Amino acid sequence: MKKVLVLGTGAQGSTAAQRLDEEPNVSEIICADYDKKAVDELVKIMKKGKGVQLDASKKENIVAVAQGVDLIVNALPLDYGKNVLETAIEVKSDYQDFAACEDIADPALGDDQWVEGIKIMYDEYGKRFKEIGKTAIIGTGSAPGLICVFTRKVVNNLDSCDTINMMVYEGVEAKRFLPYWWSPLVALSDMCEDAYAFENGEIIRTTPFSRPLVRRFPEMDGQEVVMVEHAHDEPVYMGLNNEKFFKGAQNIYFKYGGVGIDFARPLYRSGLLSHEECEYKGRDGKMHKAVPFDLVLAHVPPAPKYHDEVEEIINEGLVADTGAMVIECYGKKGGKDVLFEGHVYAPGLVDSFKKSGLSAEMYITGQGGFLFSKLFVNDKITQHGLISSDMLNDEQVDQYIKWANELDITMELVEKPL
């Protein structure tokens, strides 16, 4: 029987905790967060849940609650990643992170800091987890995470791969002002950062909102949608692992579109997502100082995470309840040029809420993450060290997708000659 610590009881952590509560191989789930109300609301609907209020800014606080656990699931913001990672090594537990860590590589590396940090996680932290006979998996939400596993399944149909496009379009729009169904801080931070791409065999930086791809997806009734460059982990992971897991792909892109992009693009272009303090003249004729990003963030509502909040939004009515997650893999099969498309289907907002009381974002991201936890608690993870979500073996990929199908997260594969 496994004892699991879930850190962070927002959309991702709470969904994973509730699913783990149904796992017969799990005896106890410790749910910890600084937000006591969120913890209390979560554990009162669980059978095996135990709530703890926790300040994760100090590693010793995490260590104190992590004693004796078999798995730590980290659904906290990136700032706390290193503390949780170090805790897992200290208490000798397996580790799962919905994202990855910041502040590992030398800040002097500038634009290369994040990439070097991932390499450090693979190499140095991989060695440390291997020494204690444990496993860490990073990037385990929906994107990165679920999309990485499904991309592996698509690319495995090719003999060799040239280009991979991972495309996500978020089309759920409420009548009230609600541009993001997850953390606005994380969303807007990603919006104002240079993106990553793997191009011609090298990891490069690209400008946010640039290089648009225009598509008409059948899951969106053929509506023309535009997706652009957006800061995400996948091109870094897959670029570093292209030879072993992605048939030698030389070009790997993540493209994003939808309500959140449409909201953030003019803010970015006008400088309102800048983190630099600026001076401006107010209507009173006096000079004032402010950080534009902070002002914008203060006016963006938090993502709903309680059942009654989501229900209220649905009852008010929706402008749209749609979206798409599509993977394109270009390459060769049997000596011929071919494109394999993977269309990932998951319940929309209304269906997600009917099924589980969750928003669509909580459903696919939280349960996409839970499936990695399920691999852990059912002893399906055999690697030791640190890997990212694109590095499962083929047997684990198939098991993950089988379990995803049971949650109504499915994929249609389409082969097109070129």
Side-chain angles (χ1 to χ4, degrees):
M1 298 289 280
K2 308 291 184 180
K3 183 177 178 181
V4 182
L5 169 61
V6 177
L7 293 168
T9 55
Q12 298 172 337
S14 62
T15 306
Q18 289 176 69
R19 282 296 183 187
L20 283 165
D21 200 41
E22 301 168 5
E23 286 295 307
N25 289 344
V26 174
S27 60
E28 183 181 9
I29 305 114
I30 303 171
C31 303
D33 198 295
Y34 191 75
D35 184 346
K36 187 175 185 301
K37 179 186 175 183
V39 171
D40 292 343
E41 289 285 324
L42 176 58
V43 298
K44 77 180 183 183
I45 61 173
M46 295 173 63
K47 302 182 294 292
K48 306 171 188 177
K50 173 187 174 184
V52 176
Q53 186 177 21
L54 176 71
D55 177 4
S57 64
K58 296 180 180 178
K59 190 188 80 169
E60 57 266 29
N61 295 345
I62 311 174
V63 171
V65 300
Q67 296 298 323
V69 303
D70 300 286
L71 170 66
I72 298 176
V73 179
N74 182 12
L76 293 171
L78 286 169
D79 298 3
Y80 304 101
K82 188 174 181 180
N83 279 353
V84 187
L85 194 65
E86 291 288 346
T87 293
I89 294 171
E90 184 168 333
V91 303
K92 295 181 171 59
S93 76
D94 289 319
Y95 175 82
Q96 176 192 342
D97 197 332
F98 276 79
C101 292
E102 287 187 329
D103 302 328
I104 290 180
D106 185 348
L109 292 169
D111 287 348
D112 294 328
Q113 184 184 8
W114 175 251
V115 177
E116 291 305 311
I118 298 300
K119 291 178 182 177
I120 289 170
M121 295 187 81
Y122 285 153
D123 298 335
E124 296 181 20
Y125 279 95
K127 179 180 178 182
R128 293 173 68 188
F129 273 98
K130 191 173 291 186
E131 287 172 349
I132 61 173
K134 297 296 179 180
T135 310
I137 306 182
I138 60 173
T140 63
S142 59
L146 180 144
I147 197 172
C148 298
V149 179
F150 279 85
T151 300
R152 283 282 307 284
K153 191 66 176 177
V154 179
V155 80
N156 279 350
N157 289 275
L158 293 167
D159 297 328
S160 62
C161 184
D162 177 77
T163 298
I164 298 171
N165 291 324
M166 288 164 284
M167 300 172 287
V168 174
Y169 190 88
E170 300 273 6
V172 177
E173 184 176 1
K175 284 190 174 179
R176 70 168 64 175
F177 174 61
L178 186 65
Y180 301 109
W181 289 83
W182 67 103
S183 164
L185 173 60
V186 173
L188 289 172
S189 295
D190 288 347
M191 296 289 175
C192 61
E193 290 183 8
D194 284 352
Y196 288 96
F198 187 69
E199 192 167 85
N200 298 322
E202 296 183 356
I203 296 171
I204 64 169
R205 300 306 300 266
T206 62
T207 303
F209 309 104
S210 67
R211 297 176 162 198
L213 278 185
V214 179
R215 294 289 188 273
R216 293 183 184 272
F217 297 133
E219 49 267 61
M220 297 187 65
D221 299 323
Q223 170 192 348
E224 184 176 278
V225 296
V226 180
M227 291 152 297
V228 295
E229 291 289 290
H230 180 68
H232 250 241
D233 301 20
E234 293 90 337
V236 176
Y237 297 164
M238 295 180 186
L240 294 172
N241 297 315
N242 69 318
E243 292 295 338
K244 185 172 182 180
F245 293 108
F246 295 96
K247 304 291 180 76
Q250 294 298 293
N251 304 286
I252 304 173
Y253 304 98
F254 180 89
K255 301 287 187 175
Y256 187 44
V259 177
I261 287 286
D262 293 342
F263 171 72
R265 183 190 286 112
L267 296 175
Y268 174 79
R269 293 183 65 189
S270 66
L272 287 172
L273 294 184
S274 171
H275 288 78
E276 299 295 324
E277 185 179 68
C278 67
E279 190 172 32
Y280 66 95
K281 188 175 183 178
R283 289 184 299 167
D284 58 4
K286 298 179 181 179
M287 298 305 295
H288 303 270
K289 292 183 179 180
V291 177
F293 183 94
D294 294 343
L295 286 176
V296 170
L297 183 62
H299 289 82
V300 178
K305 59 181 178 180
Y306 301 118
H307 181 280
D308 57 343
E309 291 179 294
V310 179
E311 184 175 39
E312 184 179 274
I313 291 166
I314 292 173
N315 288 340
E316 289 174 358
L318 301 173
V319 176
D321 187 9
T322 186
M325 178 183 285
V326 181
I327 301 149
E328 296 177 342
C329 295
Y330 297 82
K332 289 189 179 293
K333 180 182 179 182
K336 296 181 179 179
D337 292 331
V338 65
L339 161 64
F340 278 95
E341 290 180 356
H343 294 258
V344 181
Y345 295 91
L349 174 57
V350 173
D351 287 343
S352 295
F353 189 76
K354 287 179 179 177
K355 281 176 173 292
S356 57
L358 302 170
S359 71
E361 173 67 25
M362 294 168 73
Y363 193 94
I364 192 169
T365 302
Q367 295 193 132
F370 155 71
L371 292 174
F372 290 96
S373 307
K374 189 176 176 77
L375 289 171
F376 271 114
V377 301
N378 286 282
D379 298 319
K380 300 293 185 182
I381 301 296
T382 54
Q383 303 94 323
H384 288 157
L386 185 145
I387 62 175
S388 47
S389 52
D390 57 306
M391 296 169 67
L392 300 182
N393 63 39
D394 288 344
E395 182 181 348
Q396 291 161 346
V397 166
D398 289 341
Q399 181 64 77
Y400 183 103
I401 292 175
K402 178 179 182 294
W403 284 336
N405 291 343
E406 293 170 1
L407 296 172
D408 292 329
I409 301 171
T410 61
M411 183 173 71
E412 178 185 2
L413 188 65
V414 180
E415 180 179 356
K416 297 180 178 180
L418 297 174

